[in-house]
């Protein structure tokens, strides 16, 4: 063990380590620039190169039920705490070692970060510039009108009502207690989409429950996709009927659709086409929530309330319940999480930031346009 450790230390101290770090960083920058400024590169990469990674990396970490991504985050936090405490100790009591200690730690951190940056570029960043699912499915996405948003809200509400009024609804609710079934059905629903769209076919890893899900709830997060371990992580603390859509959403990221509007629409299609009424409800409920938020941004409070009051009482109760759950969480933590997420999206050339989530509604309207009735509009 000591010999192995000394060899690793020698590597980091040598010029080989510096060259390795420089190559990783340079390659990452070149690939990102190609994806953003060379038309067609990202789509070619997404179709021909990227599919190797979900199978290669995902199959390794999928063998265990716990989330390696979550374990990694906890380990990283503990390591940073240890380094901070040791740095303080060396600064106070070993000033002669201070310069050497900090320089070596910064150098090692640089090597590790450059390698992780390359992994992130290969498994995530490039795919932000791939063709959207709307383009792939040849959906005629046009400018959405307020009337179409209003009509879509009512149409989605009708679909939710039809599901809950079905005699089979109560029996289907029992499936929410069977997480093994929910996970399997999420995988099958995505594979069924893959039969008609090849970019969604192939390998799917085992979805992972986030053990510290209450933290995700505080941050307002339903799920997290890890590009380093190819894991689809979900928040087990949220309302159970939200889980099916979330699993499909994270699976869409696994298939290289990194844009939130793309992953959301794919999750909607997978949920809606599932034979499970719980999946259908989960997908339609999320679609209604996104559409209501889009409508709220476009009209006055009075006009929005006019549409909202048209929704069946049972649906308004459900929407209110979900909203109340969000308000119970720490406002500051959600604000910080939204700020970080917005910065992350901007860094990946998603210049609408967190507003890109709402662009899923454009795809929904395109999907429903021939069913939107003018007499239901504002």
């Amino acid at each position: 063990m000591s010999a192995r450790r000394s060899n690793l230390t020698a590597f980091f101290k040598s010029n080989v380590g510096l060259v390795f770090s420089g190559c990783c960083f340079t390659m990452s920058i070149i690939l990102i620039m190609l994806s953003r400024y060379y038309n067609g590169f990202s789509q070619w990469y997404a179709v021909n190169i990227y599919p190797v990674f979900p199978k290669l990396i995902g199959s390794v970490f999928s063998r265990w039920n716990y989330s390696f991504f979550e374990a990694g985050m906890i380990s990283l936090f503990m390591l940073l705490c240890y380094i901070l405490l040791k740095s303080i100790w060396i600064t106070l009591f070993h000033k002669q070692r201070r310069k050497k200690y900090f320089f070596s730690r910064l150098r090692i951190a640089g090597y590790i970060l450059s390698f992780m940056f390359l992994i992130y570029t290969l498994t995530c960043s490039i795919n932000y510039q791939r063709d959207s699912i709307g383009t792939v499915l040849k959906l005629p996405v046009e400018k959405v009108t307020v009337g179409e948003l209003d009509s879509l809200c009512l149409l989605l509400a009708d679909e939710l009502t039809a599901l809950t009024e079905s005699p089979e609804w109560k029996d289907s609710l029992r499936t929410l207690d069977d997480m093994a079934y929910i996970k399997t059905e999420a995988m099958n629903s995505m594979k069924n989409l893959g039969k008609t769209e090849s970019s969604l076919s192939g390998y799917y890893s085992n979805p992972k429950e986030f053990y510290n899900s209450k933290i995700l709830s505080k941050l307002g997060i339903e799920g997290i996709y890890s590009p380093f371990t190819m894991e689809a992580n979900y928040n087990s603390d949220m309302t159970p009927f939200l889980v099916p859509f979330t699993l499909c959403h994270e699976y869409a990221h696994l298939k290289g659709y990194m844009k939130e509007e793309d992953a959301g629409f794919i999750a909607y299609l997978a949920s809606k086409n599932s034979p499970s009424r719980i999946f259908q409800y989960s997908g339609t409920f999320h679609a209604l929530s996104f559409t209501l938020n889009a409508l709220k941004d476009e009209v006055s409070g009075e006009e929005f309330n006019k549409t909202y009051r048209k929704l069946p009482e049972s649906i308004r109760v459900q929407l209110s319940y979900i909203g109340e759950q969000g308000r119970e969480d720490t406002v500051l933590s959600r604000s910080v999480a939204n700020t970080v997420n917005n910065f992350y999206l901007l860094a990946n050339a998603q210049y609408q930031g967190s507003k890109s989530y709402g662009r899923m509604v454009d795809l929904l309207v395109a999907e429903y346009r021939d069913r939107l009735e003018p007499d239901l509009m504002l």
Side-chain angles (χ1 to χ4, degrees), residues 240-257:
F241 76 76
L242 299 177
V243 173
F245 175 90
T246 299
L247 292 182
C248 294
H249 181 102
E250 302 310 322
Y251 270 152
H253 287 322
L254 176 72
K255 283 299 165 183
Y257 286 95

Side-chain angles (χ1 to χ4, degrees), residues 211-235:
Y211 182 76
N212 294 283
S213 285
K214 288 190 179 298
I215 295 177
L216 296 187
S217 294
K218 292 289 184 184
L219 298 173
I221 298 174
E222 294 185 358
I224 298 178
Y225 164 69
S226 166
F228 302 106
T229 58
M230 294 287 166
E231 291 174 303
N233 301 278
Y234 69 95
N235 177 355

Side-chain angles (χ1 to χ4, degrees), residues 2-3 9 17 21 83 94 105 146 316 341:
S2 60
T9 303
S21 177
I83 292 175
H94 295 273
R105 293 303 177 271
V146 170
R316 282 186 277 131
N341 185 52

Side-chain angles (χ1 to χ4, degrees), residues 193-225:
L193 278 184
K195 293 177 181 178
T196 55
E197 174 43 50
S198 60
S199 61
L200 298 173
S201 63
Y203 178 78
Y204 284 90
S205 60
N206 181 36
K208 306 292 185 68
E209 173 187 352
F210 218 76
Y211 182 76
N212 294 283
S213 285
K214 288 190 179 298
I215 295 177
L216 296 187
S217 294
K218 292 289 184 184
L219 298 173
I221 298 174
E222 294 185 358
I224 298 178
Y225 164 69

Side-chain angles (χ1 to χ4, degrees), residues 33-34 43 55 58 70 114 136 142 162 190 197 218 233 266-267 279 298 314-315:
M33 291 299 102
L34 282 173
Q43 184 62 17
K55 177 65 175 177
E70 182 181 15
S114 63
V136 172
E142 302 171 5
M190 293 296 293
E197 174 43 50
K218 292 289 184 184
N233 301 278
I266 291 170
F279 271 75
E298 296 295 330
S314 59
I315 295 175

